[in-house]
Amino acid sequence: MTTLPSSSFLNLPLRLRPPFARSAAISPTNWRPISLCNLRKPPLRPFPCRSIGNNDTEDDSGIKDQGKPGEDGDKSSSDRNTIPTSVSSRPPRISPDGPLFSSFQVDSVKLMDLLGPEKVDHSDVKLIKDKLFGYSTFWVTKEESFGDLGEGILFLGNLRGKREQVFAKLQKLLREVTGDKYNLFMVEEPNSEGPDPRGGPRVSFGLLRKEVSEPGPTTLWQYVISALLFLLTIGSCVELGIASQITILPPEVVKYFTDPNAIEPPDMQLLLPFVESALPLAYGVLSVQLFHEVGHFLAAFPKKVKLSIPYFIPNITLGSFGAITQFKSILPDRKTLFDISMAGPVAGAALSFSMFCVGLLLSSNPAGSGDLVQVPSILFQGSLLLGLISRATLGYTAMHAATVSVHPLVIAGWCGLTTTAFNMLPVGCLDGGRAMQGAFGKSALVGSGLTAYSLLGLGVLGGPLSLPWGLYVLICQRAPEKPCLNDVTDVGTWRQTALIVALVLVVLTLLPLWDELAEDLGVGLVGLVPVNFS
């Protein structure tokens, strides 16, 4: 970390105090020399017109000689070797008294450097440009800031070979030149005017310090929060199991589960007799969530990608909204991002669908009627896909009623499939959002995210759960995943096709049965006044 140089001002007989609003913009990376050529006060006429800190000259008219253009078109060689900054042409104010910078201003600059992320050293940038880039790899024509806070450097220019081969060569050279100090990212060139002549998008290379780009370790407080959320999720799963026995619960308990205005929970003594019978359903819902997370970890292990501990999100209606799992490693490419993101939903959906189908078969078997629970038939109107499967398995007579007798595995599978479908929506940092970003890029994620938000806001997907789920995503999961080291190479056609098929199934799962279709199929009694179990 560097500080503002002061030795350049020792030869000045005057003390300069620039405007306060501009002092914050002066930093080691954008500092430019101060010219005294436009000063017109009579006492200053004996001083020669000069520029401090570089070799450019400036005459009395204020026109600066910037040298001849370089050989690569309209970009000069000096432009390729310096970080672009903006410098005001107005001369600094000169005050007869006062320091060059007030102590508050200097302390503010130092404080911003201390609190902000570690930036790329300017000397390293010059070394990297000399040793890495050139005619045989990547010809740099321009540099921009890179990173969330502009703490890195983005090299723009022209690719001189196949992007994967050039990127592998640049990574090897970077390790030889700087060791493990930096990470190099290959990303699509921002605001590109067209594709690369060699095919595919134009690419740029971003440089970040490792301590800035790599995720930090898991702290003790994060372990504590994860454990508390897991305990709350267990409680919400047990509560879901108790609520599934609504036909035999005491009236006070039924009112708590069905009346939106009921705030105070019922006496726990009334719930204790139903806890044991609620455990099978709670185990089923919780096992789906655990299996989902195991899928992520199994996909990440062979690729040597570290994941954070899962943060389960409890929910009374579904038992859980899933879990938030963060990447603790920089992903090498978009294929890895796609595979790890899809592994969890595939594992959770496979177990959930198995539970759902087995539960339906047990529900249609008269020998297992002792293990069945009565649930409102309106539950099956919440999903077009699951409602049609239930109707085909249980038949018209069983489904065209106020309540339906089902095995607890049906409810566990239903909740697991619904939670998995919500997590597969192509939004932000959800599994579906990460898969969309890996398969089609960040620009496609922006469009799919806006579409998903619109459908959730209108209640088209998810029914009564659309609003709480949308708020949860906006608060916790709205930001897209950070770029991979190789954020350009395509994932392949079959992965993209698999994602499209998965999104179609997600829409069919979250799309409710409309009244006309539900009435025609005999799924529930449309227009029936809800049953009062009290």
Side-chain angles (χ1 to χ4, degrees), residues 28 66 302 312 402 431 532:
Q66 297 180 345
F312 291 93
D431 291 331
N532 185 3

Side-chain angles (χ1 to χ4, degrees), residues 129-150:
K129 288 178 62 178
D130 294 338
K131 299 295 184 180
L132 271 68
F133 301 115
Y135 287 105
S136 61
T137 55
F138 185 79
W139 183 256
V140 178
T141 60
K142 188 179 179 182
E143 298 165 22
E144 294 181 355
S145 60
F146 182 68
D148 296 335
L149 301 176

